[in-house]
PDB file of all heavy atoms in Angstrom:
ATOM      1  N   GLY B  86     -18.938   1.350 -53.640  1.00  0.00           N
ATOM      2  CA  GLY B  86     -18.951   1.156 -52.195  1.00  0.00           C
ATOM      3  C   GLY B  86     -20.022   0.168 -51.799  1.00  0.00           C
ATOM      4  O   GLY B  86     -20.435  -0.665 -52.604  1.00  0.00           O
ATOM      5  N   LYS B  87     -20.440   0.263 -50.547  1.00  0.00           N
ATOM      6  CA  LYS B  87     -21.471  -0.661 -50.079  1.00  0.00           C
ATOM      7  C   LYS B  87     -22.321  -0.022 -48.998  1.00  0.00           C
ATOM      8  O   LYS B  87     -21.904   0.941 -48.331  1.00  0.00           O
ATOM      9  CB  LYS B  87     -20.833  -1.939 -49.546  1.00  0.00           C
ATOM     10  CG  LYS B  87     -19.930  -1.696 -48.353  1.00  0.00           C
ATOM     11  CD  LYS B  87     -19.274  -2.990 -47.898  1.00  0.00           C
ATOM     12  CE  LYS B  87     -18.329  -2.715 -46.726  1.00  0.00           C
ATOM     13  NZ  LYS B  87     -17.542  -3.871 -46.340  1.00  0.00           N
ATOM     14  N   LEU B  88     -23.517  -0.583 -48.853  1.00  0.00           N
ATOM     15  CA  LEU B  88     -24.390  -0.229 -47.747  1.00  0.00           C
ATOM     16  C   LEU B  88     -24.385  -1.421 -46.802  1.00  0.00           C
ATOM     17  O   LEU B  88     -24.444  -2.564 -47.252  1.00  0.00           O
ATOM     18  CB  LEU B  88     -25.814   0.034 -48.243  1.00  0.00           C
ATOM     19  CG  LEU B  88     -25.979   1.239 -49.177  1.00  0.00           C
ATOM     20  CD1 LEU B  88     -27.351   1.207 -49.830  1.00  0.00           C
ATOM     21  CD2 LEU B  88     -25.795   2.547 -48.404  1.00  0.00           C
ATOM     22  N   VAL B  89     -24.274  -1.145 -45.521  1.00  0.00           N
ATOM     23  CA  VAL B  89     -24.301  -2.219 -44.526  1.00  0.00           C
ATOM     24  C   VAL B  89     -25.479  -1.968 -43.592  1.00  0.00           C
ATOM     25  O   VAL B  89     -25.587  -0.893 -42.997  1.00  0.00           O
ATOM     26  CB  VAL B  89     -22.990  -2.280 -43.708  1.00  0.00           C
ATOM     27  CG1 VAL B  89     -23.017  -3.457 -42.744  1.00  0.00           C
ATOM     28  CG2 VAL B  89     -21.781  -2.352 -44.634  1.00  0.00           C
ATOM     29  N   LEU B  90     -26.353  -2.950 -43.525  1.00  0.00           N
ATOM     30  CA  LEU B  90     -27.531  -2.847 -42.662  1.00  0.00           C
ATOM     31  C   LEU B  90     -27.341  -3.744 -41.465  1.00  0.00           C
ATOM     32  O   LEU B  90     -26.983  -4.918 -41.607  1.00  0.00           O
ATOM     33  CB  LEU B  90     -28.776  -3.292 -43.434  1.00  0.00           C
ATOM     34  CG  LEU B  90     -30.086  -3.322 -42.646  1.00  0.00           C
ATOM     35  CD1 LEU B  90     -30.614  -1.901 -42.449  1.00  0.00           C
ATOM     36  CD2 LEU B  90     -31.130  -4.176 -43.350  1.00  0.00           C
ATOM     37  N   GLU B  91     -27.559  -3.189 -40.278  1.00  0.00           N
ATOM     38  CA  GLU B  91     -27.500  -4.022 -39.084  1.00  0.00           C
ATOM     39  C   GLU B  91     -28.724  -3.727 -38.226  1.00  0.00           C
ATOM     40  O   GLU B  91     -29.028  -2.580 -37.928  1.00  0.00           O
ATOM     41  CB  GLU B  91     -26.201  -3.753 -38.307  1.00  0.00           C
ATOM     42  CG  GLU B  91     -25.976  -4.802 -37.253  1.00  0.00           C
ATOM     43  CD  GLU B  91     -24.569  -4.790 -36.640  1.00  0.00           C
ATOM     44  OE1 GLU B  91     -23.709  -4.012 -37.111  1.00  0.00           O
ATOM     45  OE2 GLU B  91     -24.362  -5.555 -35.697  1.00  0.00           O
ATOM     46  N   VAL B  92     -29.416  -4.790 -37.882  1.00  0.00           N
ATOM     47  CA  VAL B  92     -30.624  -4.628 -37.073  1.00  0.00           C
ATOM     48  C   VAL B  92     -30.398  -5.305 -35.742  1.00  0.00           C
ATOM     49  O   VAL B  92     -29.972  -6.456 -35.699  1.00  0.00           O
ATOM     50  CB  VAL B  92     -31.843  -5.291 -37.773  1.00  0.00           C
ATOM     51  CG1 VAL B  92     -33.121  -5.046 -36.966  1.00  0.00           C
ATOM     52  CG2 VAL B  92     -32.005  -4.758 -39.192  1.00  0.00           C
ATOM     53  N   ASP B  93     -30.630  -4.594 -34.659  1.00  0.00           N
ATOM     54  CA  ASP B  93     -30.685  -5.283 -33.371  1.00  0.00           C
ATOM     55  C   ASP B  93     -31.996  -4.931 -32.682  1.00  0.00           C
ATOM     56  O   ASP B  93     -32.847  -4.277 -33.273  1.00  0.00           O
ATOM     57  CB  ASP B  93     -29.428  -5.043 -32.524  1.00  0.00           C
ATOM     58  CG  ASP B  93     -29.283  -3.619 -32.040  1.00  0.00           C
ATOM     59  OD1 ASP B  93     -30.324  -2.942 -31.891  1.00  0.00           O
ATOM     60  OD2 ASP B  93     -28.143  -3.179 -31.818  1.00  0.00           O
ATOM     61  N   SER B  94     -32.173  -5.378 -31.462  1.00  0.00           N
ATOM     62  CA  SER B  94     -33.512  -5.297 -30.876  1.00  0.00           C
ATOM     63  C   SER B  94     -33.981  -3.865 -30.627  1.00  0.00           C
ATOM     64  O   SER B  94     -35.172  -3.611 -30.575  1.00  0.00           O
ATOM     65  CB  SER B  94     -33.585  -6.132 -29.600  1.00  0.00           C
ATOM     66  OG  SER B  94     -32.487  -5.801 -28.776  1.00  0.00           O
ATOM     67  N   ASN B  95     -33.047  -2.914 -30.465  1.00  0.00           N
ATOM     68  CA  ASN B  95     -33.528  -1.553 -30.211  1.00  0.00           C
ATOM     69  C   ASN B  95     -33.048  -0.498 -31.199  1.00  0.00           C
ATOM     70  O   ASN B  95     -33.354   0.686 -31.038  1.00  0.00           O
ATOM     71  CB  ASN B  95     -33.185  -1.110 -28.774  1.00  0.00           C
ATOM     72  CG  ASN B  95     -31.706  -1.320 -28.471  1.00  0.00           C
ATOM     73  OD1 ASN B  95     -30.889  -1.387 -29.397  1.00  0.00           O
ATOM     74  ND2 ASN B  95     -31.372  -1.432 -27.204  1.00  0.00           N
ATOM     75  N   GLU B  96     -32.316  -0.930 -32.235  1.00  0.00           N
ATOM     76  CA  GLU B  96     -31.784   0.049 -33.176  1.00  0.00           C
ATOM     77  C   GLU B  96     -31.469  -0.584 -34.534  1.00  0.00           C
ATOM     78  O   GLU B  96     -31.062  -1.723 -34.609  1.00  0.00           O
ATOM     79  CB  GLU B  96     -30.494   0.646 -32.597  1.00  0.00           C
ATOM     80  CG  GLU B  96     -30.028   1.905 -33.275  1.00  0.00           C
ATOM     81  CD  GLU B  96     -28.922   2.585 -32.456  1.00  0.00           C
ATOM     82  OE1 GLU B  96     -27.859   1.953 -32.245  1.00  0.00           O
ATOM     83  OE2 GLU B  96     -29.122   3.723 -32.034  1.00  0.00           O
ATOM     84  N   VAL B  97     -31.676   0.224 -35.578  1.00  0.00           N
ATOM     85  CA  VAL B  97     -31.215  -0.186 -36.908  1.00  0.00           C
ATOM     86  C   VAL B  97     -30.062   0.740 -37.283  1.00  0.00           C
ATOM     87  O   VAL B  97     -30.165   1.958 -37.138  1.00  0.00           O
ATOM     88  CB  VAL B  97     -32.328  -0.067 -37.975  1.00  0.00           C
ATOM     89  CG1 VAL B  97     -31.819  -0.536 -39.337  1.00  0.00           C
ATOM     90  CG2 VAL B  97     -33.558  -0.862 -37.575  1.00  0.00           C
ATOM     91  N   THR B  98     -28.959   0.158 -37.737  1.00  0.00           N
ATOM     92  CA  THR B  98     -27.818   0.947 -38.174  1.00  0.00           C
ATOM     93  C   THR B  98     -27.630   0.761 -39.670  1.00  0.00           C
ATOM     94  O   THR B  98     -27.684  -0.359 -40.167  1.00  0.00           O
ATOM     95  CB  THR B  98     -26.529   0.472 -37.459  1.00  0.00           C
ATOM     96  OG1 THR B  98     -26.795   0.402 -36.063  1.00  0.00           O
ATOM     97  CG2 THR B  98     -25.380   1.435 -37.702  1.00  0.00           C
TER      98      THR B  98
END
Side-chain angles (χ1 to χ4, degrees):
Chain B
K87 62 182 178 187
L88 295 168
V89 183
L90 177 76
E91 193 167 355
V92 183
D93 68 27
S94 49
N95 52 22
E96 195 168 61
V97 181
T98 310

